[in-house]
Amino acid sequence: MFETRNTRALAIVALAVPALLGLTSLATAQDKFKLGMLVGGNTCCEWMKAQGDVARALAEKEGWDYVELSNNNDPAVALKNAQIMVQEGAKAVIQFNGQPSSNPAISAVMKAAGIPIVTYDIADPGMYFVGIDNLAAGIAGGEQLGMIIKDKWNCAPDLVISSEGAGAGIVNEWRTGGMRTGVKNICPDIPAEKFVSFEGSGDAAVALQPARDLLAANPNAVKMAVVGINDGGVLGLINAAEQLGRADQVIGWGQDGAFITGDNVNPHLAGSVFYFLEGYAVYAIRDVIKPIAEGKDVPLKADAGDPASKVQPCPVSAEQAKAVPDMAERVTQLLAAPAGTTAYDLFCPNKG
Amino acid sequence: MTDTTNDRTLPAYQLPHHPLRDLLTGSVASIAFTFIAVVAIGLLWVGPKFLSFGNVSIMGTFLIVPLIVGAFAGFALLAGVVDLSIGSIVGISAAVFAYLISHGWGVPGAAIVTLVMCLGIGGLNALAIVRFGADPIAATLGMLTALRGITWVLAGNQRMISAFDIDWFNLINMQVLGLPLFFLIAIGLTLLAALIVTKTRIGRHVQAVGGDDKAAGRAGIPVGRVRTAALMLSAFGGGLGGLVYVGQLGSAAGATGFGLEFQVYAALMIGGYSILRGGVGNPIGGALGLLVVAGVANILDLKAISPYYVNIIIGLLLLAAVLLDRLRGGDSYE
């Protein structure tokens, strides 16, 4: 009995003392602008972390408070994070949500709290859209690849392979569908049966096995053009072709520019469309967040066709990409540039 | 008809029962102390906000699905059959439920059809494992893969099925006394599961089957039926989780429930379950495991510590739980 009482007393002390101490350490609420950032949290992609790093640095430059949470590529986590942002008193939030099924719920949470939210690349009616015109980027990349197909194979490829990333939903449709459209714009007579697809999840490692299967199922195809939702997906097929000794039979063009810079660019990746994903915060802060912080009324533009801020796509060949620094260096230069300067301004070798 | 578990020779270092010792060595002692430590750290580091209704409500909302799924999946673990397909059952449940609603079905009808389907999935798992003797990990891994594929197909090109039903949304997100109603229901389900496991004949049968199925069979316990029921319960829990997800998000996606099995089983293991040997664990320990993991993640969130550290800490917690389990003598305290 004595021990039970002691145990209870210990438990009460264990809970009460920290509570009292906690009361004394209550943060003094300052009337300072606080920016919340919900990063995508998919371990596939270095740029997701970089998006947070750039937003943090820009927020600090502005003298704002900054809080960052990771969505872990999970819609339920994304919703929980949105609720934490409300609790933490964020005045505006930026998100990249690769699992947009939670966007309507997040939108509702933010609307109820009166907090404006910017979404990158995947539109939602309640969020400011900042991002690329995915369809236009797809078509631009497809046309570049179409010109290579025309020069190299006289518009007569054996296959035009599409590495899909179905998890991205409509974004995948826009990018890969846009690329197919772009190829057809240049080579309109490629028969429909030459266009084939496989699910690569936008990840070189995941794409490897289904790509090997596809190549094995098409042993006679020796002129293969590859498009995809991103560089990783395209690279998955190129790597599979290398493993099978068929690398010289494929030529790819990616999207997002993630694997087209640096010293080890795959020679069969002919080009990509840079979005400079790491630098999106420049657009979001310049065109949405900063005006809001200054008390200006920023009309909600949620449509990808009429965005709050439009990111310019930058199609580049592998040769042109050699002049573009790698992501870490781009981040360094971007943060050193005058406010509002975009990565497109700094690094795109052939600005439209 | 002898229970061979009683024939074990006690280790030399094992001491007789004592209330304080029992408190320290009981089946949920480690996780209970860890939970108290996490709460104390949260209060010390974050302040009273950590236990505010608002913050607990956020954590509670997030934990509803894992708590429900964990409470039911725990029966399968206790019966010695790990069900790796629970995450994908949540996914397909959400997808089918959302699909039916988006095609004009009412919530009650859609929910019943979905749950019956999930019971059928549990039955299929049982058929493979109990009837045909398939390895539970291999069989449920196969089910996981197949269900994930079906979910992707159902989700269509958009990979998402919108199914916003205002009444369902309001019910799932209803607050009672400042906390989410369904969080309280999930806690209630956990307590009910704990009651069944520890205080009823059925619960003892489940533990006996998981602890030593041959001995349980010799004692007249219908091993096959117990495991079949446990697998169907596990699938039913996944089905409930899917319904709740649709209420929370207003939609289902191809990726709904992806990786949930790891989240739930990691927490259940931290809470004292084992995925490799049955008969060990208590639903309250499992729930505390989920609360500990959520609490740690919440502390890091509120202290604005890089989210990339969360998984490291959860991994270390898991290792600590395993080590603590061994230091306490593994099964010997059961």
Side-chain angles (χ1 to χ4, degrees), chain A residues 118-132:
Chain A
V118 168
T119 184
Y120 289 162
D121 272 350
I122 302 174
D124 180 89
M127 302 177 182
Y128 291 90
F129 181 85
V130 171
I132 202 87

Side-chain angles (χ1 to χ4, degrees), chain B residues 200-330:
Chain B
T200 69
R201 196 171 160 210
I202 297 169
R204 283 192 291 275
H205 282 186
V206 174
Q207 286 179 305
V209 166
D212 187 336
D213 55 354
K214 289 185 178 62
R218 283 198 294 274
I221 297 171
V223 174
R225 265 190 282 164
V226 168
R227 285 190 164 154
T228 298
L231 283 164
M232 290 178 75
L233 268 179
S234 176
F236 185 78
L240 287 177
L243 304 189
V244 173
Y245 260 141
V246 173
Q248 287 182 330
L249 302 177
S251 64
T256 302
F258 187 82
L260 184 72
E261 56 278 351
F262 298 111
Q263 182 194 349
V264 168
Y265 284 137
L268 290 183
M269 288 176 74
I270 289 170
Y273 282 89
S274 168
I275 61 165
L276 294 180
R277 57 194 159 87
V280 184
N282 180 309
I284 292 175
L288 287 173
L290 282 165
L291 288 167
V292 163
V293 172
V296 170
N298 186 254
I299 290 169
L300 297 178
D301 284 347
L302 297 184
K303 292 307 293 179
I305 291 177
S306 169
Y308 302 100
Y309 288 100
V310 175
N311 286 340
I312 298 173
I313 290 172
I314 290 170
L316 290 175
L317 267 176
L318 194 54
L319 284 172
V322 172
L323 283 175
L324 202 57
D325 181 36
R326 300 324 300 166
L327 286 173
R328 292 188 313 165

Side-chain angles (χ1 to χ4, degrees), chain A residues 3 7 15 18 21-23 39 49 69-70 75-77 79-80 83-84 87-88 99-102 105 166-167 169-170, chain B residues 18 20 23 39-40 43-44 47-49 54-55 58 62 152 158-160 245 248-249 251 253 255 298 301-302 307-308:
Chain A
E3 280 156 349
T7 311
L15 290 169
L21 290 173
L23 278 170
V39 295
K49 184 176 179 300
L69 299 172
S70 170
V77 174
L79 177 59
K80 179 197 72 170
Q83 291 164 333
I84 290 178
Q87 176 183 270
E88 291 303 289
Q99 299 296 334
S101 61
S102 57
I170 193 66
Chain B
H18 184 281
L20 188 58
L23 186 71
V39 171
L43 285 169
L44 264 174
K49 182 170 68 177
N55 195 45
I58 290 171
F62 178 66
W152 281 112
Q158 300 273 336
R159 300 302 173 207
M160 190 172 110
Y245 260 141
Q248 287 182 330
L249 302 177
S251 64
N298 186 254
D301 284 347
L302 297 184
Y308 302 100

Side-chain angles (χ1 to χ4, degrees), chain B residues 157-176:
Chain B
N157 286 339
Q158 300 273 336
R159 300 302 173 207
M160 190 172 110
I161 307 168
S162 291
F164 189 79
D165 181 284
I166 187 67
D167 294 332
W168 187 238
F169 180 84
N170 286 339
L171 178 66
I172 293 292
N173 296 289
M174 184 184 286
Q175 301 267 322
V176 174

Side-chain angles (χ1 to χ4, degrees), chain A residues 174-198:
Chain A
W174 281 331
R175 288 190 192 170
T176 58
M179 289 196 83
R180 287 190 293 268
T181 302
V183 169
K184 281 188 272 191
N185 287 349
I186 305 299
C187 298
D189 295 329
I190 298 175
E193 65 268 20
K194 301 285 185 189
F195 288 87
V196 296
S197 299
F198 73 100

